Amino acid sequence: MATILLVAEQAHGHLKKATLSALTAAQQLAQKNGGQIQGLAVGAGAQTAAQELAAYGIPVHAVEAGFEHALAETHGAAIAEAVKKLAATDVIIAATAYGKDIAPRVAARLGAGIASDVMAVVSANQFKRAMWAGNAIATVEVTTKVKVVTVRATEFAAAQKGGSAGAVQALAVSAPAAKTKFVEYAEVKSARPELTEAGVVVSGGRGTKGDFKPIEALADALGAAVGASRAVCDAGWQPNDLQVGQTGKVVAPKLYIAAGISGAIQHLAGMKGSKTIVAVNKDPEAPIFQVADYGLVADLFKALPELTEEVKKLK
Amino acid sequence: MKILVTIKRVEDYESKIKVRPDNTWIVTEGVNYRANPFDEIAVEEALRLRDTNAPSEVVAVSIGSGAATAEIRSALAMGADRGIHVKHDGFVDSDAVARLLVKVIEKEKPDLVLMGKQAVDVDDNVTGQLLAEYLGYGQATFASKKESLESPEEKGKKPGLKLAADKKSIQVVREVDGGVETLELQLPGIVTVDLRLNIPRYASLPNIMKAKKKPIEELNPAGLGVDVAPKVKVVKVEAPPARAAGVKVPDVATLIQKLHNDAKVV
Ligand SMILES: Cc1cc2nc3c(=O)[nH]c(=O)nc-3n(C[C@H](O)[C@H](O)[C@H](O)COP(=O)(O)OP(=O)(O)OC[C@H]3O[C@@H](n4cnc5c(N)ncnc54)[C@H](O)[C@@H]3O)c2cc1C
Ligand SMILES: Nc1ncnc2c1ncn2[C@@H]1O[C@H](COP(=O)(O)O)[C@@H](O)[C@H]1O
């Protein structure tokens, strides 16, 4: 029988929400190939994260010692070894920065084919994924016996807790000597919700001219995350981490507000799955209006503060 | 040091991309081609590292049809020293690209391999990582830098990757979720570049002329002993679902009313 190994993303025992979307993808694959899902958490805090994941009704293995930093070389090797030990046929990881970094190494180590950033599970070996900045949706077939899949979290609802919790077991795997060394991590601290996990996102573009105060005020009134176009991140106005798009983050909140963003295809690739899209742009011809449910032709410096006041009145 | 950079010939992101009626691929007639934008950033970084670490050499490699020599020439016109073209017509998946590159790297023995993080046609974001694992090298993906693209460092065309004095390792600042991470990568190693590493130069006319005389070695998969049958096949290509057209609202009052009463999202 097929064993599907779901690799958790966790930091110091905190399970990343994208893992739960990947679990849903794993469940869909299990329906197609009759397989059984087991979880795997690697790194410092793996035990704690494994407990959390096991509450979703799957057995979870934890690899803790020797894998403190999320180096692709060591985590990739650990995952590949776990795949062999558990005789897994499929490996599923959320397509976050972590997943994108390590999953191909797992595939190469196992001689497996990799389908990256998949949006749908078509069959036991076919998946849908976006190409050309979302201008086309391809169905790809992984022809190898072992398959590695990274999952676009926004396309799969988070799995729900259910059934009895699975067992958590420590798994012993050897840590290879790494040729990369962790030096430091500079976190961009923010009191706002995380961009990819937020229910509402307010994004600003070059039209802000770098002044994000109206964007942030509206975001705070809505309890929203802040996003940005590439132009904004390139200019250094906002952290790179906030870029939404083909080559940045993919988001699909229930409400996405784009202000001063023209709506280039590369930006749309990262947000057109949102449930409701609002565009505020002073150019009535801006392409963003073609995907907006509600378009407001206005100066964002005037419209956003007004909108912020209206939102506050509703609360 | 010797630096190898990879360049993929891709559809120009400014061309309109349409799906073929038979759903086998996209329409390629009438589409412009160019070097993958991320790969131009990789070439730029390679040139900056070369020029601050003489004597060094930059070798540009592309895998693709005969037409891909145009993209190798564009890297040569930016300043790369020579090219390698692994000629193959038809689809090559990222895994086969990585396995071909292994062979090229075994021949060339570069100290550093610079690649784009993602080819903007297939949007895979896997080739550099696959290659690193096949070679048993370390990797630093999504390379960026702390300074912005508007900074004096960038204006001074300084490399964003910091080579150690003994040239045995390189420090790479990476764009990861929630912030930036710095890794020290032992050489030889693989770096894939992100958007904010640098602003690539334009090729000057004299350099375009000079590039015509630079050598391009031609290789092929059979000669390298690599089977390019894809591990991941593209079986169907469809147009994305269209979003239903929305409405324009005249003012903020109408907008908030729609968001509150109709969409019920506020
Ligand atoms: C390889 C590659 C990858 C890319 N990846 C991404 C990506 O992931 N994400 C991304 O976003 N982009 C990406 N891009 C860039 C993309 O093509 C666009 O250049 C970018 O999205 C433009 O950003 P913008 O809309 O903020 O700026 P602009 O296109 O300059 O638009 C600014 C808009 O603001 C409006 N405006 C100006 N002043 C006001 C005002 N006071 N009030 C209201 N409106 C105003 C203008 O009418 C205009 O529509 C990529 C490009 C390439 C080549
Ligand atoms: N056919 C190719 N020729 C040269 N380089 C390639 C080719 N395919 C992929 N690459 C390199 O691998 C990077 C990542 O591509 P991908 O993993 O396919 O998204 C690209 O930015 C290129 O640098």
Side-chain angles (χ1 to χ4, degrees):
Chain A
M1 190 199 300
T3 295
I4 301 169
L5 189 66
L6 169 74
V7 180
E9 176 168 358
Q10 64 94 22
H12 308 293
H14 166 75
L15 191 69
K16 293 280 172 70
K17 214 179 142 200
T19 306
L20 300 179
S21 297
L23 174 54
T24 299
Q27 288 164 346
Q28 292 181 7
L29 181 62
Q31 270 171 15
K32 314 268 183 199
N33 72 5
Q36 235 153 28
I37 304 167
Q38 302 192 26
L40 175 70
V42 185
Q47 283 283 352
T48 314
Q51 291 290 353
E52 195 178 334
L53 184 57
Y56 291 81
I58 56 167
V60 185
H61 306 271
V63 174
E64 188 139 352
F67 296 92
E68 188 191 348
H69 296 297
L71 297 174
E73 280 169 271
T74 56
H75 278 225
I79 296 163
E81 201 177 320
V83 169
K84 286 188 186 146
K85 283 199 163 150
L86 303 168
T89 44
D90 300 86
V91 183
I92 298 203
I93 313 183
T96 55
Y98 173 74
K100 288 174 181 170
D101 192 38
I102 58 172
R105 289 200 77 122
V106 176
R109 233 177 147 83
L110 298 168
I114 175 167
S116 64
D117 211 10
V118 311
M119 305 165 70
V121 179
V122 178
S123 70
N125 58 6
Q126 292 192 348
F127 307 90
K128 286 196 185 191
R129 53 183 309 278
M131 290 188 181
W132 293 280
N135 275 309
I137 308 296
T139 302
V140 297
E141 182 172 311
V142 185
T143 60
T144 48
K145 197 160 149 266
V146 177
K147 299 177 253 312
V148 177
V149 176
T150 66
V151 170
R152 182 175 286 195
T154 54
E155 298 290 330
F156 298 87
Q160 299 296 314
K161 279 199 179 122
S164 51
V168 172
Q169 280 169 317
L171 189 74
V173 298
S174 47
K179 297 185 177 106
T180 39
K181 206 166 80 194
F182 173 84
V183 178
E184 63 176 17
Y185 173 59
E187 190 182 346
V188 181
K189 293 221 167 60
S190 166
R192 298 193 182 89
E194 199 186 307
L195 182 54
T196 51
E197 297 183 357
V200 182
V201 173
V202 185
S203 285
R206 204 194 311 266
T208 61
K209 299 190 177 62
D211 178 3
F212 257 55
K213 283 199 283 299
I215 305 283
E216 290 168 349
L218 178 58
D220 291 341
L222 288 163
V226 168
S229 69
R230 172 182 175 184
V232 165
C233 299
D234 278 7
W237 295 339
Q238 290 293 319
N240 297 336
D241 188 41
L242 297 191
Q243 181 183 312
V244 171
Q246 175 196 16
T247 55
K249 298 258 156 61
V250 178
V251 301
K254 69 178 178 13
L255 173 61
Y256 187 90
I257 302 178
I261 293 179
S262 59
I265 184 82
Q266 295 89 358
H267 188 79
L268 304 186
M271 45 64 79
K272 68 181 177 185
S274 306
K275 190 164 160 275
T276 300
I277 297 174
V278 172
V280 180
N281 194 304
K282 64 180 185 189
D283 173 9
E285 303 300 322
I288 189 77
F289 287 123
Q290 290 163 20
V291 300
D293 299 285
Y294 304 111
L296 178 64
V297 180
D299 184 331
L300 73 91
F301 291 102
K302 194 170 163 292
L304 259 49
E306 279 177 38
L307 190 53
T308 306
E309 284 316 305
E310 294 297 327
V311 170
K312 283 184 183 159
K313 273 190 222 159
L314 285 174
K315 303 247 150 141
Chain B
M1 69 191 294
K2 192 197 266 191
I3 306 168
L4 198 108
V5 281
T6 54
I7 331 260
K8 188 176 189 189
R9 176 179 171 84
V10 299
E11 287 75 18
D12 189 338
Y13 49 83
E14 291 190 350
S15 289
K16 179 99 192 88
I17 302 296
K18 284 199 298 276
V19 167
R20 277 175 59 143
D22 66 2
N23 293 110
T24 53
W25 198 246
I26 55 160
V27 176
T28 52
E29 294 80 25
V31 173
N32 291 326
Y33 284 81
R34 52 164 294 152
N36 182 37
F38 286 98
D39 299 348
E40 291 179 335
I41 297 171
V43 174
E44 176 66 35
E45 195 63 21
L47 298 176
R48 291 183 189 186
L49 284 168
R50 178 193 66 187
D51 296 341
T52 47
N53 291 287
S56 292
E57 187 189 29
V58 173
V59 184
V61 184
S62 189
I63 294 156
S65 70
T69 49
E71 281 63 43
I72 298 176
R73 289 274 171 224
S74 76
L76 299 177
M78 282 175 75
D81 299 292
R82 60 187 171 87
I84 296 176
H85 180 198
V86 182
K87 200 171 163 197
H88 182 78
D89 291 315
F91 180 72
V92 185
D93 73 350
S94 297
D95 185 80
V97 169
R99 287 180 292 111
L100 288 165
L101 289 171
V102 167
K103 297 294 172 185
V104 173
I105 287 162
E106 283 169 357
K107 275 164 57 103
E108 291 287 333
K109 302 189 172 50
D111 301 290
L112 176 65
V113 182
L114 282 166
M115 308 171 71
K117 81 160 176 183
Q118 153 181 7
V120 300
D121 51 358
V122 294
D123 283 334
D124 269 358
N125 194 338
V126 302
T127 308
Q129 299 89 312
L130 290 170
L131 177 62
E133 183 64 42
Y134 282 134
L135 290 165
Y137 287 3
Q139 73 186 39
T141 52
F142 325 145
S144 188
K145 62 181 170 197
K146 287 183 181 151
E147 304 83 18
S148 89
L149 292 175
E150 310 284 325
S151 64
E153 286 81 3
E154 176 57 30
K155 300 250 149 67
K157 306 232 171 278
K158 296 239 167 53
L161 308 180
K162 305 280 185 290
L163 189 65
D166 65 5
K167 299 194 163 84
K168 287 197 173 124
S169 67
I170 198 159
Q171 272 217 356
V172 186
V173 173
R174 314 175 51 225
E175 291 191 16
V176 296
D177 291 339
V180 288
E181 182 185 69
T182 307
L183 290 181
E184 192 177 293
L185 173 69
Q186 190 181 309
L187 298 180
I190 309 282
V191 173
T192 77
V193 306
D194 215 317
L195 293 168
R196 257 81 56 178
L197 182 59
N198 63 47
I199 302 171
R201 69 193 66 184
Y202 288 104
S204 67
L205 198 56
N207 284 345
I208 293 173
M209 300 311 289
K210 267 198 244 164
K212 294 193 170 146
K213 298 203 186 74
K214 291 181 181 172
I216 299 180
E217 182 186 359
E218 195 182 299
L219 303 170
N220 60 62
L224 292 170
V226 175
D227 175 7
V228 295
K231 284 184 182 162
V232 182
K233 283 196 278 204
V234 177
V235 293
K236 190 165 36 158
V237 178
E238 296 164 290
R243 255 191 104 89
V247 293
K248 286 240 172 73
V249 291
D251 49 36
V252 168
T254 316
L255 176 60
I256 194 79
Q257 180 260 320
K258 297 259 187 215
L259 291 176
H260 189 60
N261 299 330
D262 298 355
K264 298 187 171 41
V265 285
V266 170

